[in-house]
Amino acid sequence: MAQCAVEGGCPTDYIAVSLSILSFILLLLWSVFPFLFHKVPRTKGSGFWIPVIQVVASLILHLSLVISNNFFKIKKRDWWQSCYIWAVWGEGPLGFGLLLTSRITQAYQLYFIFVKRRLPIIRSYFFLPLILLPWIAAAAIIHMKKPLSDRCHMRAEWTIPAVFLHALYVAILVGVTGSVRHIEFRFDELKDLWRGILVSTLSIAVWVTAYILNEIHDDISWLQVASRFLLLVVASILVLAFFSISSSQPLLSQISLRRKESREFRSMSQALGIPDSGVLAMNEPISRIDPNEPFDKLLLNKRFRQSFMAFADSCLAGESVHFFDEVHELSKIPEGDCVRRIYMARHIIEKYVVAGAAMEVNISHRSREEILTTSDLARRDLFRNALNEIIQLLKMNLAKDYWSSMFFMKFREESETRPNDHDLEQMTGWNYSPRLSSVHITDDPFQHDHLLKNSGCNDTDS
């Protein structure tokens, strides 16, 4: 025991490494499960790269702990096994630091989107490196001063500032999380943030305890072995508990290996509990369609919209119809329910509006900037101008070809065999341009929805 306590290779070391590998495999499965098994399309922007950073930082943290704490019996250390590479940079800014800053960035996004009701002023790819700079500066100073011993331990005068830096970032995360605690989130965002705070605080406490025990009682072999075993096991728990996609991809977070009953939703509107959203039922009534009616009014017919959407998808040009469909679902949410309106608006922006989005729609630069720079994501007319442009494009292009397509013939045949005049959906709050028919229906299907909570639009911080 005395020899392996110093040189590494104790049985408990291999057990800890095995648990570490298992936790990382679970983390990988958790992160790629929706894409591999449910064929969910990969998103762009911070919703994709922040979870990737969390996975990479978790791997670096595990490797750093294993190499710097002598879990394996290595007789000769090469340059790449240097304490300053792994104990300073790996465990610091590139490991635990990246994990914490990723969570702070996610909390910062939630604060701006749900409290300020606008997209973050500083983009995530600028914000994350910016708040990581103090950690990088601290690692650079330690690297230059070289205060580490042969066993990668620091003296007390260096450990105290390092602990303070860890605690400072946890305090920042607590502060940002506290600023959004009053928001009635529909998914697991707040719970994931508090869980991250808990496990990060626990990890710092374990790290400080292990350091004190190693420095004061470095002659007790079993204590050396037990402390590093505990360090790696806690790190394995940390990376699993710290990983979260609910803040950036709330809909995707419902597809998870952790859930015994996976709540898979086909759309954000279904996840938010919007009535009559999703695909049509087989027994749903069919209404007659008059091609002479204004096209925007025809699109309010659910069956017509689904038929036209299928035609547009067959032409590889369905983005505009899908955009109209989701904006239509947004219009069903009452103006007082700010949280759900913001969820839906954010989903539409990330899917259709931002440059390079998965289903980016063809709208003018002016309309796009008006949406991206809005001061209120919950406002009723957020997508009005973009929607007018989309409808004009559909009328001039796809609509002309649709009337002579097999999709319309099939729809007309079904409507003639089972006529019904009650399939027109309502779209509240939208007033199209003079070139289009005016649709402004005040009957709100959500006014009597007692199952869903009203977030109170006016209860926001200024």
Side-chain angles (χ1 to χ4, degrees):
M1 168 91 51
Q3 186 176 1
C4 75
V6 177
E7 298 179 358
C10 294
T12 53
D13 293 337
Y14 293 111
I15 294 174
V17 171
S18 300
L19 292 174
S20 175
I21 294 173
L22 178 61
S23 71
F24 188 73
I25 292 174
L26 288 175
L27 178 62
L28 282 178
L29 289 175
W30 184 5
S31 59
V32 304
F33 179 77
F35 304 100
L36 293 181
F37 295 95
H38 293 271
K39 308 301 181 184
V40 176
R42 182 178 67 84
T43 60
K44 294 185 178 181
S46 61
F48 171 75
W49 62 262
I50 287 183
V52 170
I53 286 178
Q54 291 178 332
V55 173
V56 173
S58 300
L59 176 62
I60 294 174
L61 180 61
H62 275 129
L63 287 175
S64 302
L65 288 172
V66 170
I67 295 175
S68 63
N69 286 279
N70 294 329
F71 276 84
F72 295 114
K73 189 174 183 180
I74 302 174
K75 295 183 179 179
K76 182 181 178 182
R77 281 186 175 270
D78 296 319
W79 66 268
W80 58 270
Q81 297 169 305
S82 168
C83 289
Y84 293 95
I85 294 178
W86 298 105
V88 176
W89 291 98
E91 294 181 29
L94 300 181
F96 196 64
L98 263 183
L99 286 175
L100 271 177
T101 51
S102 296
R103 298 298 284 151
I104 293 173
T105 302
Q106 289 176 325
Y108 159 82
Q109 291 176 332
L110 292 177
Y111 172 75
F112 263 90
I113 291 171
F114 288 96
V115 178
K116 295 296 185 181
R117 289 194 231 155
R118 59 177 302 167
L119 298 178
I121 298 176
I122 305 176
R123 297 293 179 89
S124 300
Y125 51 80
F126 286 128
F127 183 79
L128 193 149
L130 186 65
I131 59 176
L132 190 62
L133 279 178
W135 216 305
I136 295 174
I141 292 173
I142 294 175
H143 200 133
M144 288 187 296
K145 297 296 183 179
K146 297 190 181 302
L148 299 185
S149 65
D150 294 338
R151 299 174 63 182
C152 299
H153 292 167
M154 288 191 296
R155 296 188 298 271
E157 61 266 25
W158 290 94
T159 301
I160 293 174
V163 172
F164 174 78
L165 183 64
H166 285 67
L168 175 64
Y169 275 71
V170 174
I172 293 173
L173 182 57
V174 171
V176 182
T177 302
S179 67
V180 299
R181 70 183 185 278
H182 63 284
I183 302 295
E184 295 181 4
F185 291 105
R186 303 285 299 183
F187 300 95
D188 300 325
E189 294 94 335
L190 192 61
K191 183 181 72 175
D192 287 352
L193 286 173
W194 287 122
R195 187 183 65 225
I197 292 171
L198 177 63
V199 295
S200 58
T201 304
L202 174 64
S203 300
I204 294 174
V206 170
W207 178 66
V208 172
T209 303
Y211 165 78
I212 294 174
L213 293 176
N214 275 289
E215 290 300 308
I216 297 178
H217 303 288
D218 58 353
D219 56 331
I220 304 177
S221 301
W222 69 266
L223 192 58
Q224 301 287 316
V225 175
S227 62
R228 68 176 178 234
F229 173 84
L230 186 61
L231 272 176
L232 192 55
V233 170
V234 170
S236 302
I237 297 172
L238 168 71
V239 298
L240 286 175
F242 221 72
F243 181 77
S244 172
I245 57 176
S246 62
S247 299
S248 49
Q249 300 184 59
L251 189 59
L252 192 61
S253 68
Q254 302 306 298
I255 305 173
S256 172
L257 288 173
R258 294 183 303 162
R259 302 178 185 275
K260 294 181 180 179
E261 298 179 0
S262 180
R263 293 186 296 161
E264 181 183 357
F265 299 107
R266 300 179 67 92
S267 65
M268 177 61 79
S269 57
Q270 285 182 310
L272 294 176
I274 300 176
D276 301 322
S277 60
V279 297
L280 289 164
M282 293 298 295
N283 59 350
E284 193 154 345
I286 302 176
S287 59
R288 289 185 180 275
I289 287 296
D290 182 5
N292 295 321
E293 289 187 357
F295 188 69
D296 55 305
K297 185 177 180 181
L298 292 176
L299 285 174
L300 295 181
N301 183 288
K302 191 172 185 179
R303 279 200 174 273
F304 175 81
R305 189 166 69 250
Q306 293 288 345
S307 174
F308 187 74
M309 187 184 297
F311 167 73
D313 287 337
S314 70
C315 299
L316 303 179
E319 295 86 357
S320 297
V321 191
H322 286 276
F323 174 76
F324 180 95
D325 187 62
E326 301 227 44
V327 173
H328 176 75
E329 297 298 325
L330 170 63
S331 71
K332 297 178 182 179
I333 304 176
E335 292 184 46
D337 195 349
C338 281
V339 171
R340 285 201 301 164
R341 289 190 66 87
I342 290 173
Y343 268 118
M344 196 68 191
R346 178 194 185 190
H347 167 75
I348 293 171
I349 289 172
E350 292 179 348
K351 189 175 181 180
Y352 301 99
V353 179
V354 296
M359 300 182 71
E360 183 180 356
V361 291
N362 185 16
I363 56 177
S364 66
H365 176 75
R366 180 179 179 180
S367 294
R368 195 182 306 275
E369 287 302 307
E370 178 187 3
I371 295 170
L372 296 179
T373 59
T374 180
S375 60
D376 188 2
L377 287 169
R379 84 172 201 253
R380 183 183 65 182
D381 60 346
L382 177 61
F383 299 103
R384 182 184 60 190
N385 293 332
L387 203 61
N388 287 335
E389 294 177 10
I390 289 298
I391 292 177
Q392 285 296 327
L393 286 175
L394 292 175
K395 289 174 63 178
M396 291 186 297
N397 298 302
L398 288 174
K400 296 179 180 180
D401 296 329
Y402 173 74
W403 301 122
S404 59
S405 70
M406 292 299 296
F407 290 89
F408 174 65
M409 294 180 184
K410 181 180 178 182
F411 175 79
R412 184 174 59 182
E413 180 183 345
E414 292 177 348
S415 63
E416 289 175 351
T417 56
R418 289 195 298 156
N420 192 294
D421 295 328
H422 302 286
D423 201 31
L424 186 66
E425 292 187 296
Q426 296 170 349
M427 194 168 191
T428 62
W430 297 103
N431 192 358
Y432 298 119
S433 64
R435 294 172 297 176
L436 307 173
S437 65
S438 177
V439 180
H440 188 85
I441 302 176
T442 56
D443 186 19
D444 194 340
F446 267 75
Q447 292 298 328
H448 304 290
D449 187 5
H450 62 281
L451 295 177
L452 298 174
K453 294 183 178 179
N454 191 320
S455 66
C457 248
N458 296 322
D459 297 331
T460 57
D461 296 341
S462 56

